[in-house]
Amino acid sequence: MTDAATSNKADVIVLGAGIVGVSAAYAARQRGLSVILVDRREPGSETSYGNAGILSSGSISPLNNPSLWKALPKYLTNRHPALRWDPVWAIRNIDWVVRFLANATPSRTRPRATALHGLIGASLKLHREWIVKADAAQRIRETGWLKAWRGDAVAAAKAEQALLAEYGIASQLLDRQAISALEPNILPVYQVGLLHTQTASVDSPGAVVKAYARMFAGSGGEVSQSDIKAIAPEGDGWRVVLADGVMSARHIVVALGPWSADLLRPLGYRVPLAFERGYHREFRPNPVRSLQRPIHDADGSFLMTPMEQGIRVTSGVELTARDAPSSLVQIDAVAEVARGVLQFGETVGEPWRGSRPTLPDSLPMIGPAPRHSGLWLAFGNQHIGFTTGPATGAAIAAMIAGAEPSFDVAAFSPSRYL
Ligand SMILES: Cc1cc2nc3c(=O)[nH]c(=O)nc-3n(C[C@H](O)[C@H](O)[C@H](O)COP(=O)(O)OP(=O)(O)OC[C@H]3O[C@@H](n4cnc5c(N)ncnc54)[C@H](O)[C@@H]3O)c2cc1C
């Protein structure tokens, strides 16, 4: 790390060292550009730290798909583990809510699934390459991801399998016995399972981002720790005002995850970014009751996955202001249910909260800001940002260098909202 005050000029300054920013920085460096990566914390310390670490090949269907309408009545009760929402927030952000729901139609879902499939495919390729280069290959598990239902959900599982198959994504339908054979240490609570066989996972997403940041530094990039206060055009480039100095560059990349909209507002961009907050709790693993892969309990609306520190249980969505006080109701409720699936020990560490940054169409912004040259936007990766960070960053680096990204970025253009 360097002291920000001593740094000044580069081809590119990347703002934010989550998975998206670190990836953009590394990819830009690979293209021979001089790059400074700035974050107020160490790389991979926020949203990219506390997620479930799933590198999901199959998360092509955005949350606002047609099945949302069927689930809506139970969500409106505000008691469902999948979704808690703050009515005051919803009224204040009714525009976002309406636009989010309006996208949940068949004709608006299919093109988004196709766009996400391209982004995910490109990203998984990079993750698998970079994790080896970054000397972190021991962290990745190619054991798939099990989605499991407690009731007779064969029809739902088959429908999901059919959609995945249309995109060439492999999965296996499992019955109770097959689930027990796959995960012998869980109690036999699930009747139906769908194993996403091409999905991988990591045992510490934060450590993976840190390893990628070290790889960036090793390639000649500069990592700088400082609070970013403002950005402003300067000559044919940009000035970045930090708590302890100023930097400038021809290009800047806004990869600030859930904080991205804040710095853009003074430039006249009103980004419709909402925060699908989520929590995790970790538990001491029982050494004779281990888990081989992440499990998504479809009826319980939680995920549990083996991590370096223990069994990590993550919650569904809490729709509210980004910085509203935490409520542990949702995570504590699902953690109890998870304990009925896998015997694990006491809590390890403190509960964690993060915000999935989400635009109304559940697609990230990847591309140039419409009214400012040299300003690049890379955020809004919702539930799958750990998966999609590398290709998001690599596409930005390609565009800065005047090259074609490796997947079709048209659907991710910032100009659709700005
Ligand atoms: C509970 C939960 C589970 C999830 N599980 C998965 C999963 O299994 N798989 C998956 O693919 N995705 C998952 N996600 C989503 C994923 O974690 C996010 O989409 C992704 O981490 C977003 O990355 P990012 O780089 O955009 O943001 P971040 O990781 O939040 O990075 C933004 C960075 O900007 C910095 N920053 C902000 N403001 C400033 C400032 N003013 N000055 C300096 N620095 C600043 C922050 O410190 C931070 O490091 C999950 C999310 C949650 C909440």
Side-chain angles (χ1 to χ4, degrees), residues 129-140:
E129 186 190 314
W130 289 1
I131 207 159
V132 174
K133 272 194 192 162
D135 217 9
Q138 74 285 1
R139 298 202 173 275
I140 191 167

Side-chain angles (χ1 to χ4, degrees), residues 19-20 39-40 47-48 51-52 54 228 382-387:
I19 184 66
V20 174
D39 199 300
R40 60 188 166 209
T47 333
S48 300
N51 62 69
I54 299 170
I228 304 154
Q382 42 106 343
H383 291 242
I384 52 171
F386 184 62
T387 303

Side-chain angles (χ1 to χ4, degrees), residues 245-316:
V246 174
M247 290 177 177
S248 41
R250 171 72 191 87
H251 300 271
I252 56 171
V253 181
V254 177
L256 296 164
W259 295 273
S260 297
D262 303 4
L263 280 181
L264 293 169
R265 206 167 297 129
L267 297 172
Y269 295 112
R270 297 198 72 79
V271 183
L273 194 65
F275 312 102
E276 296 188 66
R277 302 200 323 178
Y279 297 80
H280 86 218
R281 268 196 188 278
E282 289 181 330
F283 300 91
R284 210 171 295 289
N286 180 334
V288 292
R289 292 258 175 267
S290 63
L291 205 57
Q292 305 304 313
R293 58 183 56 72
I295 296 182
H296 172 196
D297 186 314
D299 305 303
S301 306
F302 67 86
L303 255 143
M304 67 180 167
T305 185
M307 287 286 178
E308 190 174 41
Q309 308 88 322
I311 300 293
R312 179 175 290 185
V313 178
T314 62
S315 68

Side-chain angles (χ1 to χ4, degrees), residues 177-199:
Q177 285 74 23
I179 294 171
S180 293
L182 199 68
E183 286 291 352
N185 291 324
I186 62 172
L187 295 167
V189 297
Y190 300 121
Q191 270 194 51
V192 181
L194 190 67
L195 180 67
H196 289 225
T197 51
Q198 292 165 328
T199 286

